[in-house]
Amino acid sequence: ALRYVFDDGDEDRGILRLSWSMPGVAVEACRQLSPEELDRLPVHMRNPRACIGHIASYELSVKVDGSLALLDTVAPAGARGDRPLYVLRELPLTPGVHDVGVRFRALLPPDVHPPEGLDSLSWRDTVRVDSRRVALISLDEDGGRLLLEEGNR
């Protein structure tokens, strides 16, 4: 498990950690091959449609007490962008209770309509951040919603 190491000067802050992974939304771009292109292919590879797929990037935004604290793009892992998305961000916060909103939204072409739940995750609630402690927001066991680890309300 990841542990945040606080320096001696960190007694006046805690950490809000966002940590999860998810498969993301697959985006596929296809086109029809011309008869000439098909003729150049071996017979067993002659599919009239050529498709290239990848996982969509996501926009991650976090508001703390009404102010934008983080705006970032999370790209899928892998050389071809076809691996899961990994989120690990840490925001230092002053100790106390904060109103926190998190939005994780797929950046999709207009013609892509993903299954509900994979395109956008949102969470908003109050978070108690203690000095030199970490409050964790992650995904539930089903991967369908964000949640705050118990003990930080």
Side-chain angles (χ1 to χ4, degrees):
L2 183 67
R3 282 186 63 131
Y4 189 87
V5 178
F6 288 91
D7 296 326
D8 289 337
D10 287 340
E11 61 272 347
D12 291 350
R13 70 176 180 156
I15 297 293
L16 175 65
R17 178 179 293 154
L18 309 169
S19 179
W20 65 84
S21 68
M22 65 183 283
V25 175
V27 177
E28 192 173 61
C30 297
R31 68 178 183 86
Q32 290 293 121
L33 295 177
S34 69
E36 295 80 24
E37 290 173 307
L38 286 170
D39 287 342
R40 288 191 297 259
L41 293 172
V43 174
H44 70 283
M45 293 180 65
R46 290 186 185 172
N47 184 343
R49 289 174 44 96
C51 298
I52 298 173
H54 68 280
I55 303 296
S57 292
Y58 279 64
E59 179 183 83
L60 173 63
S61 62
V62 180
K63 286 188 177 182
V64 177
D65 299 327
S67 296
L68 187 63
L70 174 70
L71 180 61
D72 199 0
T73 301
V74 178
R80 295 185 311 214
D82 59 353
R83 299 287 183 232
L85 297 147
Y86 295 97
V87 173
L88 178 57
R89 303 293 188 278
E90 294 183 335
L91 300 170
L93 295 178
T94 57
V97 177
H98 298 276
D99 178 38
V100 176
V102 178
R103 185 167 181 213
F104 193 57
R105 179 181 66 89
L107 301 173
L108 299 171
D111 60 333
V112 174
H113 304 287
E116 192 172 324
L118 285 180
D119 60 333
S120 181
L121 296 169
S122 296
W123 180 89
R124 183 174 178 195
D125 206 340
T126 57
V127 178
R128 188 185 80 238
V129 177
D130 295 325
S131 179
R132 301 177 67 92
R133 303 293 292 175
V134 175
L136 174 65
I137 296 175
S138 61
L139 280 177
D140 67 358
E141 288 182 11
D142 297 330
R145 66 184 183 95
L146 296 170
L147 55 83
L148 177 66
E149 181 179 286
E150 288 303 314
N152 294 108
R153 292 207 183 272

